[in-house]
Structures are given as structure tokens and as C-alpha cells.
Amino acid sequence: MGASPTPARRIPQLVLLAVALLVVAITWLQGTLGPGDLLDQLARRSIPLNQALSNGKPSLVEFYADWCEACRSMAPAMADLEKQHPEINLVMLNVDNPTWQPELQRWQVNGIPHLQLFDIKGESVGRSVGLRLNAELLSLAAALSEGRSLPDLAGVGAVSSLDDESKIGRENSINSAAAGPRSHA
């Protein structure tokens, strides 16, 4: 049996081990702090939909999916909105969760990211479909917060004030029964 290495010979081995552990830690942190995980963090922090629509604050509901690249790239801007507008409820609903199927149909979510916008009474005032830049999200949030009309942005629309909205929603869902947020139809 050989003699154990002297302390002087162990130092380079310990330094190498420390560097290897540091590389592993940095790699792990980069993977867990990416936009996809930020999306998950936003979802974990979001309040329940029924609470958001009944607490007297305007609400922004995002329909998203973990696999959606536009949703993932929009996550930092959503986190910024959350910080800059704490007076707005932020609700995240994953379209892959079957629990939200009634909401997907109710608000005719056919593509993601889909933002459904609500006033302080919990009434839908509009929606936004597609990727939004930080400035656009902040503009939507300011309008919600101040009770103003939604900004004129491509893909943003007000909700119709038709009397029998539920009937129209049923007719549209019958006509597009095969279409869904993952159908790309």
C-alpha cells in the first residue's frame, strides 16, 4: 500500500474539485433561472382566478403553456408588469391543465399567449393575442389600472357588449369545435 499524498499534493486536487463543483453549480443555476422557470414562478405566485375577479382590482389573465416560446420570452416582461403594477391581479392559466377548459372555451382562447383583461368589477374588457413587448404590457396595465380604454395595439380588442354573449360563445364553439389553443388552426 502506498503512502497517502502529502497536503501539498492535495491542494491542486481540492482546487480542481472546487472548480468542477462551481461549474456544475453555475450550469444548474442558469438552467433553473431561465425564462421558462420564470414562467413557472409567475404561475406559482398568481392568485386564483375567482379571487382575482372578485377582489375589486383589475386583472390580467394570461393563458400560456410551458412549451410556448412566445410565452417564455414574454415572462420577463410579465414579471416587470407584476412589479410595476401591484394593483393589478396577475393570473396565469396553463392551457395544458384540463381544469381550465371551461375558461378556454368561455374566452375563446385559440392561440397563446392570450391575455384576458378585466376591470375592477371582474368584467372582461378586452383581450390581447400574441407576444407583447414590455412597453405594450405596461401600456395595457396602465389602461386597466386607470380604468381607461385599452390602447390601440395590433391583436388587442375590446369585448363585445352584445346582450346574449353566452349564446354567441356557444355558436362559435360549435363552429370551431376542433380548434383549440394547441390546434394551430
Side-chain angles (χ1 to χ4, degrees):
M1 288 206 238
S4 63
T6 63
R9 290 187 181 173
R10 285 189 188 167
I11 291 175
Q13 292 171 340
L14 291 174
V15 169
L16 185 58
L17 178 63
V19 169
L21 289 173
L22 184 61
V23 168
V24 169
I26 289 171
T27 304
W28 178 76
L29 284 173
Q30 285 178 337
T32 60
L33 297 178
D37 289 311
L38 181 55
L39 194 59
D40 184 56
Q41 291 170 19
L42 287 167
R44 290 177 192 271
R45 287 193 305 259
S46 80
I47 67 172
L49 178 62
N50 59 350
Q51 181 183 345
L53 298 181
S54 64
N55 69 3
K57 295 167 66 174
S59 300
L60 186 150
V61 177
E62 180 182 355
F63 291 92
Y64 76 99
D66 295 326
W67 48 262
C68 169
E69 286 302 318
C71 302
R72 292 169 60 92
S73 66
M74 197 167 78
M78 292 296 285
D80 190 38
L81 180 145
E82 182 183 46
K83 287 178 189 169
Q84 290 192 36
H85 288 278
E87 75 282 4
I88 295 177
N89 297 312
L90 180 60
V91 180
M92 305 290 289
L93 303 180
N94 191 324
V95 298
D96 289 329
N97 184 338
T99 302
W100 305 120
Q101 192 60 40
E103 286 75 14
L104 290 167
Q105 291 175 347
R106 178 177 182 189
W107 291 303
Q108 301 174 358
V109 177
N110 291 318
I112 54 174
H114 175 115
L115 305 176
Q116 198 68 35
L117 310 164
F118 297 89
D119 64 14
I120 60 173
K121 297 175 190 169
E123 296 176 6
S124 182
V125 295
R127 68 172 140 208
S128 166
V129 179
L131 178 66
R132 289 282 157 224
L133 301 175
N134 194 13
E136 294 171 322
L137 286 172
L138 293 175
S139 177
L140 287 169
L144 282 176
S145 181
E146 298 166 10
R148 293 186 284 111
S149 297
L150 297 177
D152 187 22
L153 300 169
V156 172
V159 175
S160 172
S161 61
L162 295 172
D163 292 334
D164 196 5
E165 194 173 343
S166 62
K167 179 182 174 190
I168 292 168
R170 282 193 309 273
E171 289 172 2
N172 285 342
S173 66
I174 292 169
N175 293 337
S176 62
R182 295 176 299 281
S183 69
H184 301 284

